[in-house]
């Protein structure tokens, strides 16, 4: 059962469902921040599709204190440590009114790109409007019961003087350094302590004020409780780190149930989004930002990345070629499964429904693997190539999705690809390239250029031909690929050879290969076997060999005998004996007869 169906199964369709999530806007949000956003959005979309009465709200926790400084911005933010995020000036040059708006506004713009339809709220407005006044009063009056739940559930011991509330210091404006030491039912007494936390220094001021109408805030575990009890939230997931036994969710849920007599929201725990095994952090600059990933991946791909993995499992993202190509291939496979109409593909249909924003029709566009190659070949019209592959014109949706995939490929090449992933078509055959070619490469060039004249020019045929030609040199396919990469890219590795040569075009490829001149004897020597190796080959393959021929070649006082074998699978293979002298005709015949007698293989002149 797909995870969204498990959520459906747990909910009462007769109840109005309110989904909540929120984010502390303390820095540039990393891409992992989108996991909760999209998990909740997927639930919202599935419930909406099943005709549930449902609403999705998302908050900016902008009354939280500045407890970390965004990477590289110490000069601006250090003096504001401990103050509410919404009361801190934005970085120089920002168009926004404060630090919180500076960071959350860009995050909310990503929601629009990803098709997230959540109603937004800001905690400054919630506290200042008095909407939490009742919750604040109840929590302060029930502090002893709450303190006991902390102890029982999480083992956290609170002092007798503990009050679950922090005010904004009237003197220095900090909220993260204040400690409430008394509540008389109307006002709290507080101290702004210099040593309350390690990341900010209080001013030492002591004061008394009302805790209501935005004068302070609840600790975040109890802020959860206030949201749940005030708004009647029925669904709110949390990170796996908060959802462990005795963790934050257990504490908050128990308080809501036992102190206030209400049912906690349905929890969908979700794991971390890791970048090559590392947990991401805005303040430490670890991992890609949400904005950067939104620029990189099209909405359907970013949604698929976040939602195809069951929420409880961590996502270990890598910008490597292999990871990104697999991501796109998997998505394309899911899309095809979704439109197959097959019952066994139902889970793929469910994944696709929450990933793709336009599920009205299927579409057929080139793979990301191909597109990332084509964008590095400026002479190629990618839209024309896509039409050729499809065998028809592109629909409006196909054109749009293809454009997105092209942009993603260009972004990946510019920001994530290694030098090995990139290539540049070499328009001239330079001395530098020729010096890198080994004698065996010349053997491949000679055989391959002959064979290419006899095949239909398709990617599959070209790719197969390089294997067939390699057996007739003989040379390993790996070395053959290297020869092609050197000749056309001046690199040791590159994209699939069949793909590369197909889009370079028959004329370009043959002209380049046929312009390469070389002497054959060094090839003979480099691509030869010993007589013992030839005999071993014959004995190993004699049951598969259906015919065998030989030919003798001589040049510049050296010579060779080439044995051509045809196997019962239709393949041809060559083995070569090299000699540092000419052989007389009878010597050639003797060598051939000796091999034929030892291997029991009939060998005829070619």
């Amino acid at each position: 059962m797909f995870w969204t169906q498990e959520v459906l199964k747990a909910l009462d369709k007769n109840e109005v469902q309110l989904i909540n999530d929120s984010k502390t806007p303390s820095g540039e949000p990393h891409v992992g921040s989108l996991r909760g956003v999209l998990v909740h959005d997927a639930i919202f979309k599935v419930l909406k599709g099943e005709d549930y009465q449902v609403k999705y709200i998302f908050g900016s926790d902008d009354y939280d204190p500045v407890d970390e400084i965004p990477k590289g911005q110490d000069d601006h933010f250090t003096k504001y440590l401990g103050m509410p995020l919404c009361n801190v000036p934005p970085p120089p040059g920002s168009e926004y009114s404060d630090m919180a708006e500076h960071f959350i506004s860009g995050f909310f713009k990503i929601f629009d790109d990803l098709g997230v339809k959540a109603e937004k709220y800001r905690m400054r407005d919630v506290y200042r409007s008095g909407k939490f006044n009742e919750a604040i009063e109840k929590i302060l009056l029930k502090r002893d019961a709450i303190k006991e739940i902390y102890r029982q559930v999480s083992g956290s011991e609170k002092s007798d003087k503990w009050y679950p509330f922090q005010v904004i210091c009237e003197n220095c404006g900090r909220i993260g350094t204040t400690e409430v030491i008394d509540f008389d039912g109307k006002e709290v007494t507080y101290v702004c302590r210099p040593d309350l936390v390690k990341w900010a220094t209080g001013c030492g001021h002591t004061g008394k004020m009302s805790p209501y109408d935005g004068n302070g805030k609840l600790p975040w575990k109890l802020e959860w409780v206030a949201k749940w009890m005030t708004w009647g939230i029925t669904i709110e997931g949390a990170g796996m780190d908060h959802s462990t036994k005795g963790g934050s969710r257990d504490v908050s849920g128990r308080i809501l149930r036992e102190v206030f007599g209400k049912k906690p929201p349905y929890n969908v725990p979700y794991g971390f989004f890791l970048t090559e095994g590392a947990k991401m952090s805005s303040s430490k600059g670890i991992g890609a930002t949400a904005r950067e990933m939104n620029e990189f991946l099209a909405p359907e791909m970013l949604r698929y990345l976040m939602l195809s993995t069951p929420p409880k499992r961590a996502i270990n993202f890598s910008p490597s070629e292999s990871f990104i190509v697999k991501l796109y291939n998997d998505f394309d496979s899911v899309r095809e499964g979704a439109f197959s109409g097959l019952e066994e593909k139902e889970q793929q249909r469910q994944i696709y429904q929450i990933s793709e924003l336009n599920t009205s029709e299927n579409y057929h566009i080139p793979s990301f693997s191909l597109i990332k190659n084509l964008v590095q070949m400026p002479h190629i019209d990618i839209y024309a190539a896509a039409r050729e592959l499809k065998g028809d014109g592109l629909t409006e949706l196909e054109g749009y999705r293809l454009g997105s995939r092209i942009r993603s490929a260009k972004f990946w090449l510019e920001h994530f690809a290694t030098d090995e992933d990139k290539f540049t078509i070499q328009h001239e055959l330079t001395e530098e390239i020729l010096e890198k070619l080994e004698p065996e490469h010349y053997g491949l060039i000679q055989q391959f250029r002959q064979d290419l004249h006899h095949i239909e020019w398709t990617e599959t045929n070209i790719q197969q031909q390089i294997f067939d030609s390699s057996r007739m040199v003989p040379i390993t396919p790996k070395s053959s690929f290297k020869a092609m990469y050197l000749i056309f890219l001046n690199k040791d590795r590159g994209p699939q050879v069949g793909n590369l040569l197909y889009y370079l075009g028959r004329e370009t490829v043959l002209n380049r290969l046929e312009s390469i001149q070389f002497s054959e004897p060094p090839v003979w020597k480099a691509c030869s076997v010993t007589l013992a190796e030839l005999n071993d080959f014959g004995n190993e393959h004699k049951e598969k060999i259906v015919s065998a021929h030989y030919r003798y070649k001589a040049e510049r006082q050296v010579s060779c005998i080439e044995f051509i074998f045809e196997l019962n699978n239709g393949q041809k293979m060559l083995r070569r004996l090299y000699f540092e002298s000419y052989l007389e005709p009878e010597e050639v015949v003797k060598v051939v007869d000796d091999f034929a007698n030892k291997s029991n293989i009939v060998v005829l002149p070619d």
Side-chain angles (χ1 to χ4, degrees):
M1 182 185 295
F2 191 54
W3 68 266
T4 54
Q5 300 306 303
E6 294 176 3
V7 176
L8 274 177
K9 191 176 179 181
L11 300 176
D12 185 347
K13 192 171 185 178
N14 296 316
E15 294 181 0
V16 176
Q17 303 296 331
L18 179 59
I19 304 170
N20 180 64
D21 193 13
S22 63
K23 172 81 177 82
T24 299
S26 57
E28 183 74 33
H30 56 67
V31 64
S33 304
L34 289 171
R35 192 168 197 194
V37 174
L38 292 172
V39 164
H40 289 101
D41 183 66
I43 295 169
F44 172 73
K45 284 179 165 52
V46 169
L47 293 180
K48 199 80 172 172
E50 294 292 332
D51 295 325
Y52 280 66
Q53 295 183 68
V54 60
K55 183 165 75 169
Y56 177 20
I57 60 175
F58 192 98
S60 170
D61 292 331
D62 55 8
Y63 236 42
D64 289 359
V66 180
D67 59 4
E68 288 184 319
I69 297 174
K71 184 176 175 61
Q73 301 187 49
D74 298 58
D75 291 346
H76 177 72
F77 286 115
T78 298
K79 57 182 172 290
Y80 300 115
L81 282 166
M83 294 184 179
L85 291 159
C86 61
N87 292 353
V88 174
S94 173
E95 63 181 289
Y96 297 101
S97 60
D98 54 73
M99 177 184 183
E101 280 303 293
H102 174 80
F103 289 117
I104 202 67
S105 294
F107 194 53
F108 283 161
K109 288 179 181 177
I110 295 172
F111 284 30
D112 296 335
D113 293 340
L114 295 178
V116 175
K117 306 297 184 184
E119 296 181 18
K120 287 91 170 178
Y121 64 89
R122 289 159 175 79
M123 288 308 297
R124 71 178 87 181
D125 300 327
V126 175
Y127 278 109
R128 290 170 181 171
S129 67
K131 291 178 181 177
F132 274 9
N133 285 354
E134 182 182 350
I136 291 168
E137 181 180 28
K138 287 183 177 180
I139 287 169
L140 286 172
L141 292 173
K142 298 282 188 179
R143 72 182 181 103
D144 289 336
I146 291 170
K147 184 170 62 175
E148 179 61 17
I149 290 173
Y150 268 90
R151 186 189 67 78
Q152 291 178 6
V153 177
S154 67
S156 175
E157 297 283 353
K158 306 295 183 183
S159 73
D160 292 339
K161 297 180 180 180
W162 176 75
Y163 285 87
F165 195 75
Q166 287 184 291
V167 299
I168 300 173
C169 177
E170 299 159 288
N171 183 56
C172 69
R174 286 179 172 79
I175 194 171
T177 55
T178 62
E179 181 180 17
V180 171
I181 58 175
D182 191 31
F183 176 55
D184 62 12
K186 291 184 178 181
E187 293 184 317
V188 293
T189 302
Y190 72 93
V191 180
C192 186
R193 298 195 183 280
D195 58 353
L196 184 65
V197 293
K198 294 180 179 180
W199 38 266
T201 304
C203 66
H205 177 73
T206 298
K208 192 172 184 178
M209 66 166 66
S210 165
Y212 309 125
D213 300 327
N215 286 337
K217 75 179 295 292
L218 295 160
W220 65 272
K221 292 185 184 72
L222 291 167
E223 195 168 85
W224 256 350
V225 174
K227 290 179 182 180
W228 298 343
M229 65 182 287
T230 303
W231 296 330
I233 292 165
T234 59
I235 303 167
E236 180 164 359
M240 289 292 292
D241 52 332
H242 298 308
S243 302
T244 55
K245 184 176 176 55
S248 308
R249 278 298 293 239
D250 279 358
V251 171
S252 299
R254 180 97 166 260
I255 292 169
L256 184 69
R257 184 183 294 109
E258 295 189 4
V259 178
F260 300 104
K262 296 191 175 184
K263 180 182 176 183
Y266 180 80
N267 186 19
V268 182
Y270 49 88
F272 289 126
F273 187 99
L274 309 175
T275 296
E276 296 180 327
K279 180 184 174 184
M280 286 178 291
S281 166
S282 297
S283 62
K284 296 178 182 177
I286 299 173
T289 66
R291 175 181 47 79
E292 183 180 36
M293 197 64 76
N294 187 50
E295 291 176 15
F296 169 33
L297 293 175
E300 68 276 8
M301 295 307 306
L302 186 45
R303 292 182 66 94
Y304 177 75
L305 172 63
M306 293 292 180
L307 298 173
S308 58
T309 299
K312 288 184 179 180
R313 281 173 43 196
I315 297 172
N316 191 10
F317 173 81
S318 168
S320 66
E321 177 184 15
S322 58
F323 184 96
I324 300 301
V325 167
K326 184 178 186 301
L327 176 71
Y328 274 89
N329 288 347
D330 288 349
F331 176 79
D332 289 344
S333 176
V334 163
R335 187 182 69 247
E336 292 303 322
F339 283 96
S340 68
L342 299 175
E343 186 176 342
E344 61 266 28
K345 301 294 184 179
E346 176 59 22
Q347 181 162 310
Q348 291 186 322
R349 189 191 67 79
Q350 293 170 5
I351 294 172
Y352 189 69
Q353 288 289 325
I354 60 175
S355 300
E356 173 62 69
L357 297 177
N358 183 350
T359 59
S360 62
E361 62 181 273
N362 196 1
Y363 54 90
H364 304 279
I365 58 175
S367 68
F368 182 86
S369 181
L370 174 57
I371 289 175
K372 74 173 176 58
N373 294 337
L374 296 184
V375 297
Q376 298 181 79
M377 304 170 73
H379 68 287
I380 295 294
D381 180 337
I382 300 178
Y383 287 89
R387 290 192 292 270
E388 181 183 345
L389 280 172
K390 183 184 177 185
D392 197 357
L394 302 180
T395 66
E396 182 179 353
L397 180 60
E398 286 170 334
Y400 184 77
R401 290 290 182 264
L402 177 57
S404 295
R405 201 163 281 199
I406 291 170
R407 288 190 294 274
S408 294
K410 290 180 177 178
F411 190 96
W412 178 78
L413 286 165
E414 182 178 350
H415 295 87
F416 298 125
T418 66
D419 288 341
E420 285 191 346
D421 297 325
K422 303 175 186 178
F423 63 83
T424 302
I425 303 299
Q426 302 299 299
H427 298 292
E428 294 182 359
L429 192 64
T430 64
E431 286 299 320
E432 177 191 359
I433 292 174
L434 292 173
E435 287 173 2
K436 294 178 182 179
L437 293 174
E438 302 291 338
E440 63 178 12
H441 294 151
Y442 289 106
L444 183 278
I445 292 165
Q446 183 182 44
Q447 184 68 42
F448 192 46
R449 66 191 182 190
Q450 292 173 2
D451 295 335
L452 285 179
H453 285 284
H454 307 294
I455 65 169
E456 182 183 356
W457 198 256
T458 68
E459 294 178 58
T460 302
N461 288 348
I462 297 167
Q463 187 74 11
Q464 182 59 50
Q465 188 58 61
I466 201 158
F467 284 99
D468 294 343
S469 298
S470 296
R471 287 189 290 270
M472 291 298 292
V473 176
I475 182 177
T476 64
K478 182 178 180 180
S479 189
S480 295
F481 296 151
K482 181 179 178 180
M484 293 299 105
Y485 297 140
L486 285 171
I487 292 168
F488 294 101
L489 307 179
N490 195 17
K491 288 173 65 76
D492 289 346
R493 62 186 299 273
Q496 186 190 62
V497 166
N499 172 280
L500 173 67
L501 300 188
Y502 174 78
Y503 284 103
L504 284 174
R506 183 194 293 268
E507 183 178 356
T508 297
V509 171
L510 287 174
N511 285 345
R512 177 68 58 84
L513 294 179
E514 289 171 353
S515 70
I516 299 174
Q517 305 297 317
F518 58 92
S519 174
E520 287 194 59
V523 175
W524 299 343
K525 185 174 183 179
C527 302
S528 63
V529 297
T530 65
L531 184 57
E533 289 171 332
L534 177 65
N535 289 331
D536 288 344
F537 174 87
N539 290 326
E540 180 182 350
H541 291 85
K542 61 184 177 183
E543 299 300 327
K544 302 176 184 177
I545 294 171
V546 296
S547 67
H549 296 80
Y550 76 91
R551 59 190 175 216
Y552 175 69
K553 295 181 177 180
E555 184 180 328
R556 299 181 183 175
Q557 306 302 312
V558 298
S559 61
C560 69
I561 303 175
E562 295 178 344
F563 294 81
I564 302 97
F565 303 96
E566 184 173 351
L567 308 186
N568 54 13
N569 61 4
Q571 293 181 352
K572 288 186 176 181
M573 305 179 75
L574 182 142
R575 289 297 182 270
R576 181 183 293 106
L577 297 175
Y578 174 77
F579 304 93
E580 291 284 358
S581 62
Y582 283 133
L583 298 184
E584 296 297 329
E586 57 271 20
E587 292 178 295
V588 173
V589 171
K590 183 178 185 307
V591 171
V592 173
D593 286 347
D594 285 346
F595 166 72
N597 292 332
K598 288 180 180 179
S599 62
N600 199 28
I601 296 172
V602 176
V603 184
L604 303 174
D606 190 22

